[in-house]
Amino acid sequence: MITYIDIAWTYNERRTKSEVMSTNQTDKSIHSASQFKLSGNIQSSIPFGSGHINDTFKITTDSSDANLYLLQRINHHIFNDIEALMSNIETVCQHLKTKIAHLGESEVLKRTMTIVKTKNDKTYYQDEQGAFWRVFYLIPDTRSYDILETPEQAFSGGMAFGQFQKQLSDLDPKALVEILPNFHNVEFRLSNLRKAIEQDPENRVAEVQDLLDYIFAREEKMMRILNMGRAGELPLRITHNDTKFNNVLLDAQDQVQCVIDLDTVMPGFVAYDFGDAIRTIINSAAEDESDLSKITLNIPLFQAFTNGYLSEAKDFLTDAEVESLGYAIHLLPYMQAVRFLTDYIEGDGYYKIAYPDHNLVRTRSQLKLVDELEQHQGILQDILSGSLMSEG
Ligand code: GN1
Ligand code: MG
């Protein structure tokens, strides 16, 4: 029997009850799922996962081969070129599958995402209201974590993202469209924040002045990776760009099963993936924890993730890339705070929110994390260097 446990679900239930779980939404999702080549008749559709951008449903059918499917309504206000988005994902999935083809069909299906096509053989379906939908196989007997529990999980996650970068290292970056340009460009993110401040459509700037001061005081320091990139010191590689820990599925023994959420796979710097993963791994609390005293660093998890990542990545990282990893630890939580705050000031149009000042809470929480990281900079850098030596 298939048991699919998803820790992230708990959070999603809280969020989705009001937003997604209406009968109307369920009917719509079932109607859309029925456009795809599913085996068996659809039995149910339930909201799933904890993503802030797309709406995700778990689809169950009565098929004897016990297939489960992941249906997603793609947020086309953010991903406005759906054709290119799906073509990127198809290219990446194909490439990853060829890398592990020797393991046999059933392993390939468990270790990589598989797009299920529509009855017209397309990678997505556009409904009568103009919304875009897609379906993947849902990989059974796996779990994801919003907050990690053990160093073994962190090590596995590190290996997973290191392996992901390695397996894509021979895919020509030109094969992929830069689906969200400037996604991790901190200068671009700060310039969006400045525009938001100037317009201040909700009159929210005055109440967040302390946060803005904190952010702008760190602006120059946070430009280091971008400057290294501009100086030609960092190679552009294909990276995941959304390496939150809940985007890796682990099996029942906490071994790597599959890296998921391929929407933002595009050319980038490896450090961004490292830093974004650390953002969620090292934090003892959720990214939207409102009690700032709970936001502390779990340093053993940092060490374990770093060891796992470097066990895969050490062979291909250049010295400059290694240097950039240390900067990324601070940059990614900082940039996330800039993005949450920009959305708050603009009136919450980008990220899904569960309550009115959710984006403000997220911002404070991420900045508290930046603070903690700054206070422990020396020890984190020592661990990174030590891990490199022992792995090297
Ligand atoms: C969004 O929705 P999700 O979880 O896939 C965002 C990421 C952020 C993340 C913060 C396309 O990811 O960049 O890091 O929220 N994705 C996009 O939790 O903006
Ligand atoms: Mg995502």
Side-chain angles (χ1 to χ4, degrees):
M1 201 188 98
I2 290 171
T3 49
Y4 195 102
I5 320 156
D6 191 331
I7 302 291
W9 203 344
T10 323
Y11 170 73
N12 189 55
E13 275 182 346
R14 175 156 58 85
R15 174 172 63 69
T16 53
K17 282 227 162 75
S18 56
E19 286 180 25
V20 182
M21 242 169 141
S22 67
T23 320
N24 187 18
Q25 295 282 16
T26 307
D27 287 352
K28 257 191 205 162
S29 66
I30 289 180
H31 166 77
S32 300
S34 70
Q35 310 301 314
F36 290 81
K37 291 182 204 167
L38 309 186
S39 95
N41 302 305
I42 298 170
Q43 296 290 291
S44 64
S45 163
I46 24 177
F48 195 71
S50 60
H52 301 336
I53 307 291
N54 300 317
D55 296 325
T56 305
F57 304 84
K58 180 170 92 164
I59 302 290
T60 312
T61 72
D62 62 3
S63 157
S64 57
D65 56 7
N67 276 330
L68 291 173
Y69 300 94
L70 199 77
L71 168 75
Q72 288 190 305
R73 178 170 42 205
I74 310 167
N75 185 331
H76 63 278
H77 304 292
I78 292 174
F79 298 107
N80 47 34
D81 187 347
I82 303 285
E83 195 74 44
L85 172 76
M86 293 311 294
S87 149
N88 274 3
I89 294 177
E90 205 173 14
T91 303
V92 170
C93 289
Q94 279 311 327
H95 193 84
L96 293 174
K97 284 178 194 301
T98 60
K99 294 284 160 175
I100 54 165
H102 58 279
L103 299 176
E105 170 82 11
S106 81
E107 278 303 302
V108 171
L109 286 175
K110 282 193 217 155
R111 289 170 192 246
T112 54
M113 295 201 73
T114 303
I115 296 174
V116 177
K117 294 206 171 157
T118 65
K119 290 172 179 162
N120 302 328
D121 245 352
K122 291 194 66 170
T123 50
Y124 63 90
Y125 160 69
Q126 186 173 21
D127 69 21
E128 295 74 15
Q129 285 77 41
F132 293 87
W133 301 78
R134 67 180 171 205
V135 172
F136 295 102
Y137 282 125
L138 199 153
I139 304 170
D141 302 319
T142 56
R143 56 194 292 172
S144 73
Y145 296 84
D146 279 353
I147 300 178
L148 282 76
E149 289 160 9
T150 68
E152 289 72 30
Q153 291 160 356
F155 186 88
S156 286
M159 272 181 67
F161 287 123
Q163 231 167 54
F164 186 85
Q165 290 178 344
K166 188 149 92 181
Q167 289 173 336
L168 292 174
S169 61
D170 61 343
L171 174 61
D172 182 357
K174 291 198 200 76
L176 301 182
V177 176
E178 192 182 0
I179 205 76
L180 297 175
N182 292 316
F183 193 61
H184 280 148
N185 176 337
V186 68
E187 194 175 59
F188 169 76
R189 297 298 180 186
L190 285 164
S191 119
N192 286 347
L193 176 60
R194 287 199 166 90
K195 279 187 212 146
I197 295 170
E198 220 168 277
Q199 291 167 358
D200 196 11
E202 307 286 326
N203 293 316
R204 290 177 169 178
V205 170
E207 65 167 305
V208 299
Q209 199 51 57
D210 59 325
L211 304 178
L212 293 170
D213 292 345
Y214 187 95
I215 287 172
F216 290 122
R218 282 157 180 78
E219 183 166 0
E220 207 183 303
K221 173 179 157 194
M222 296 296 173
M223 293 287 287
R224 280 187 292 215
I225 297 180
L226 199 61
N227 290 337
M228 288 173 87
R230 284 180 175 154
E233 292 166 21
L234 297 174
L236 259 191
R237 303 185 190 273
I238 293 178
T239 49
H240 184 280
N241 295 306
D242 191 4
T243 50
K244 277 199 289 200
F245 194 73
N246 62 20
N247 277 335
V248 44
L249 298 183
L250 303 180
D251 68 13
Q253 285 74 44
D254 281 338
Q255 297 301 303
V256 177
Q257 187 79 66
C258 181
V259 170
I260 58 171
D261 191 355
L262 307 177
D263 285 334
T264 49
V265 178
M266 54 189 163
F269 299 134
V270 289
Y272 295 152
D273 279 359
F274 182 77
D276 208 18
I278 296 301
R279 181 177 75 79
T280 49
I281 286 160
I282 205 168
N283 191 349
S284 308
E287 78 175 5
D288 62 349
E289 176 57 59
S290 59
D291 179 351
L292 298 188
S293 70
K294 290 192 183 150
I295 299 170
T296 56
L297 302 189
N298 191 328
I299 292 181
L301 295 185
F302 169 77
Q303 171 135 35
F305 180 88
T306 303
N307 289 343
Y309 175 72
L310 289 176
S311 73
E312 291 291 326
K314 64 173 194 286
D315 298 340
F316 64 82
L317 294 182
T318 65
D319 289 349
E321 282 179 308
V322 168
E323 181 191 335
S324 69
L325 299 181
Y327 303 147
I329 298 170
H330 304 268
L331 173 64
L332 274 292
Y334 172 86
M335 190 149 46
Q336 194 61 65
V338 170
R339 294 175 63 196
F340 284 146
L341 187 56
T342 305
D343 198 30
Y344 180 69
I345 295 174
E346 285 177 341
D348 307 307
Y350 189 93
Y351 294 105
K352 290 182 191 175
I353 51 167
Y355 51 90
D357 62 350
H358 199 167
N359 273 319
L360 181 57
V361 168
R362 287 167 170 156
T363 307
R364 289 194 195 284
S365 159
Q366 291 294 290
L367 290 181
K368 172 69 181 356
L369 181 59
V370 172
D371 224 40
E372 289 287 320
L373 290 162
E374 283 180 356
Q375 282 170 38
H376 295 83
Q377 185 160 357
I379 188 175
L380 298 177
Q381 193 55 51
D382 288 349
I383 290 173
L384 193 52
S385 310
S387 170
L388 205 70
M389 306 258 283
S390 64
E391 293 296 332

